Amino acid sequence: MTSPIASNVLDAIGRTPLIQLKRFLSDESIELFVKLEAANPGGSAKDRPAREMLETALRTGEIHGGSTIIESSSGNMGIGLAQACRYHGLKFICVVDPRAQRQNLAIIKALGGEIELVEYPLNGDFLTARIARVKRLLRETPHSFWPNQYANPANPLAHYQGTIREIDEALGHDFDVLFVATSSTGTAQGCRDFLQRSGRNVEVVAVDSVGSVLFGGIAGTRMIPGLGAGQIPRLAVGQSFDHVARVSDLDCVVGCRKVAHREALLVGGSSGGVLTTVERMQEQLAGKRCVAILHDSGTRYLETVFNDAWVESALGCNPSRLAEMIQHGPADVELEPIA
């Protein structure tokens, strides 16, 4: 079958592969499919809301050719916006913190974006500090616009119209459980809303990080970007999912290493957490058809997740212990049902 020809780079966003993983789980009765969002032209699921937020603002007249776009990002949204801004001829400033991957920052710069680094947390939280810097830049910059991925309804809409619809159609409207990482909660919301409104009987498992304040969590140190939140985004207020599963930074690393070893697939940090959750839930998933959304590629985490020296210095896990954890299956996960 011939693939459709995209009219431009933004038109190539979406229609990402759905791949069945047959080696990752020990229980062969579970069908596991993964949505490979790294196949988007900007390399992550964030391409979808980045395009939707900008093009909505262009349609409504909130921005124009002389506007400056300012956003807080741990990396992927910054790349998606840098790509969309470059295509539409808009200036872009990305506010990041020290946890951002150096390669992501280089990509943003290569696409014409400017980097504004927040060096210190505010009230113990880098996200709070980044948003404070965004608001300051908005005051100082004429004709500036904040897409605000943490509150913009175009964020979940992009996944409602694209990500989950593609999954549903590819599987013939037949699957049982969806696993998705949460931060702004845009992806999880858009997918859940589509499934509910379409009458699908699908459980949605929101994967959050230990140290995230989402879903009543307790704030703590988090080293893996793009998973969890240090303050509750407006989009997340009042949101509920069938289950919440929490993973540590080390869980994310182990999941990434396992899927690379078993399936020859390099995935990013949050995706490792999602896959660890699936593996831990095998007993509950027996005989079911499951889908995991993998937000980005492991090629952007070579200096961290896939670097033994970083894992030992940042997470306190030496290479021999890490190898043992990759070899042996994890303990069962404790789910938190959210009313």
Side-chain angles (χ1 to χ4, degrees):
M1 184 175 67
T2 303
S3 298
I5 297 174
S7 59
N8 57 66
V9 67
L10 300 185
D11 190 41
I13 294 171
R15 300 181 294 276
T16 53
L18 191 67
I19 302 171
Q20 185 171 7
L21 301 188
K22 297 183 178 180
R23 302 173 179 176
F24 186 74
L25 301 176
S26 59
D27 187 338
E28 296 181 356
S29 75
I30 302 169
E31 288 186 275
L32 174 60
F33 300 87
V34 296
K35 184 68 164 164
L36 200 63
E37 287 294 278
N40 283 304
S44 84
K46 298 291 189 178
D47 282 14
R48 299 178 188 259
R51 176 186 62 181
E52 186 68 30
M53 291 189 298
L54 279 196
E55 294 187 347
T56 297
L58 284 165
R59 286 194 303 269
T60 60
E62 292 178 272
I63 59 176
H64 50 76
S67 297
T68 297
I69 310 303
I70 305 172
E71 181 61 286
S72 156
S73 173
S74 61
N76 285 329
M77 179 61 80
I79 292 171
L81 284 171
Q83 175 180 256
C85 285
R86 172 55 72 189
Y87 180 77
H88 287 294
L90 301 164
K91 182 179 178 182
F92 176 54
I93 301 174
C94 188
V95 179
V96 304
D97 64 50
R99 297 172 301 177
Q101 309 287 319
R102 287 192 300 175
Q103 183 177 349
N104 287 354
L105 303 185
I107 294 170
I108 292 169
K109 290 179 182 178
L111 287 166
E114 297 180 14
I115 300 297
E116 180 84 8
L117 175 64
V118 171
E119 296 188 57
Y120 303 103
L122 184 61
N123 299 323
D125 179 53
F126 273 115
L127 177 57
T128 303
R130 293 199 326 246
I131 292 176
R133 182 71 59 87
V134 166
K135 291 179 177 178
R136 193 190 84 188
L137 290 170
L138 290 169
R139 293 193 298 267
E140 297 173 350
T141 310
H143 309 296
S144 56
F145 175 77
W146 181 20
N148 195 358
Q149 62 170 308
Y150 311 105
N152 194 325
N155 181 346
L157 178 64
H159 298 289
Y160 182 100
Q161 294 178 333
T163 314
I164 189 61
R165 192 180 299 270
E166 293 168 18
I167 292 169
D168 194 48
E169 291 176 356
L171 292 177
H173 321 296
D174 179 22
F175 60 105
D176 304 298
V177 188
L178 177 72
F179 293 83
V180 56
T182 54
S183 182
S184 70
T185 71
T187 310
Q189 278 186 54
C191 293
R192 178 207 58 202
D193 290 351
F194 175 89
L195 293 168
Q196 289 182 348
R197 293 170 190 172
S198 302
R200 304 280 181 266
N201 185 24
V202 177
E203 290 185 32
V204 177
V205 178
V207 180
D208 190 24
S209 64
V210 174
S212 167
V213 299
L214 295 173
F215 316 113
I218 299 172
T221 302
R222 294 173 293 113
M223 301 298 293
I224 301 294
L227 180 64
Q231 67 178 53
I232 299 176
R234 193 185 311 169
L235 278 178
V237 175
Q239 295 299 322
S240 63
F241 300 92
D242 295 294
H243 302 287
V244 169
R246 299 195 188 276
V247 290
S248 68
D249 291 329
L250 191 55
D251 291 331
C252 294
V253 170
V254 171
C256 289
R257 300 290 191 97
K258 280 184 177 180
V259 75
H261 177 73
R262 298 175 184 176
E263 299 279 358
L265 184 61
L266 286 180
V267 303
S270 68
S271 301
V274 168
L275 289 170
T276 289
T277 301
V278 176
E279 186 178 22
R280 285 174 169 173
M281 288 181 62
Q282 283 186 90
E283 186 174 337
Q284 298 99 304
L285 300 175
K288 294 185 177 181
R289 180 178 260 196
C290 305
V291 180
I293 297 175
L294 307 185
H295 276 73
D296 64 358
S297 169
T299 58
R300 292 181 176 168
Y301 298 81
L302 298 179
E303 296 182 1
T304 54
V305 168
F306 291 97
N307 184 316
D308 284 356
W310 181 87
V311 174
E312 183 166 16
S313 64
L315 305 183
C317 181
N318 63 49
S320 60
R321 180 179 169 227
L322 179 59
E324 184 178 350
M325 294 177 73
I326 294 167
Q327 180 67 30
H328 300 291
D332 291 338
V333 68
E334 182 177 343
L335 294 177
E336 302 175 18
I338 302 297

